[in-house]
Amino acid sequence: MAQNNGGKPARGRISQAGTSAAGQQPGDGRRRSMSALGANVERVTRSVLGKRALAEASLIAEWPSVVGAEFARTCQPRRLVFPDRKARREATLVLRVKPGEATRLAHLEPILVDRVNGFFGYQAVKRLKLEQGHLVDRTPPTRPRAQPTLSESESQAARARISGIEDDRLRAALTRLSERLSGEGSNGDLNG
């Protein structure tokens, strides 16, 4: 390592020795290969958040199924505060609560604590701390489903099959469906 006049190592310098391994550029210390993010997430989160970080994250993700839909509409978990991070017991669960619901939830605290501890499988939570505020919308956005379509050959094959149906109402309904799927229908109404 380079040294300055005072005999101390210079800051900010990277040694270039040993950085010419495959996939690395000399001097930058970074690999040039791509890897899946998911392969590294557990390693990174475990080093930052500890061994039970994934369980705490799953509490947030599974909140409605842990406490029930009624409680999930009125409160959301924010964080767990442990008096001793190593013991990871008897934490205070900080909840964000809709305005006007804190008093009611304070009376129902034993029920909430039991449900959360049932999720963890041990007495992870001892008490709640309620903070009033607006809840974060955690529902995933819904994507519109792509409408199925028929190619020209599929449309012709459908018309041939439909023409052999004796029931007039069924034949008419299947004809409308076939037209809609092939893009020939004008109003998109399957009921006529």
Side-chain angles (χ1 to χ4, degrees), residues 32-84:
R32 295 292 179 190
S33 63
M34 294 178 53
S35 64
L37 178 62
N40 299 315
V41 169
E42 184 177 349
R43 179 179 53 83
V44 171
T45 58
R46 180 166 288 163
S47 67
V48 172
L49 301 172
K51 290 183 179 179
R52 298 201 191 252
L54 296 177
E56 292 170 19
S58 65
L59 174 66
I60 293 171
E62 300 293 328
W63 185 248
S65 63
V66 171
V67 298
E70 181 184 344
F71 285 127
R73 283 190 295 269
T74 59
C75 63
Q76 292 175 335
R78 300 239 354 216
R79 65 185 172 276
L80 282 168
V81 180
F82 291 96
D84 179 9

Side-chain angles (χ1 to χ4, degrees), residues 126-141:
K126 185 175 183 178
R127 67 186 60 86
L128 301 178
K129 179 180 178 188
L130 307 177
E131 298 177 349
Q132 290 193 43
H134 295 287
L135 302 184
V136 177
D137 183 17
R138 291 196 175 127
T139 57

Side-chain angles (χ1 to χ4, degrees), residues 50-121:
K51 290 183 179 179
R52 298 201 191 252
L54 296 177
E56 292 170 19
S58 65
L59 174 66
I60 293 171
E62 300 293 328
W63 185 248
S65 63
V66 171
V67 298
E70 181 184 344
F71 285 127
R73 283 190 295 269
T74 59
C75 63
Q76 292 175 335
R78 300 239 354 216
R79 65 185 172 276
L80 282 168
V81 180
F82 291 96
D84 179 9
R85 292 294 294 175
K86 291 183 181 181
R88 305 202 50 94
R89 294 189 173 277
E90 300 184 348
T92 300
L93 175 60
V94 180
L95 294 177
R96 176 171 281 151
V97 180
K98 278 186 177 180
E101 294 287 333
T103 304
R104 185 176 74 84
L105 288 177
H107 289 291
L108 298 172
E109 180 175 349
I111 295 170
L112 277 167
V113 169
D114 284 344
R115 289 182 184 182
V116 172
N117 286 336
F119 171 76
F120 282 114

Side-chain angles (χ1 to χ4, degrees), residues 150-166:
L150 297 177
S151 67
E152 184 60 35
S153 62
E154 291 171 328
S155 181
Q156 289 175 356
R159 281 192 293 266
R161 288 183 185 154
I162 292 170
S163 66
I165 296 176
E166 294 178 13

Side-chain angles (χ1 to χ4, degrees), residues 161-176:
R161 288 183 185 154
I162 292 170
S163 66
I165 296 176
E166 294 178 13
D167 185 348
D168 293 334
R169 290 177 47 197
L170 178 59
R171 187 175 54 249
L174 290 174
T175 300
R176 286 192 305 272

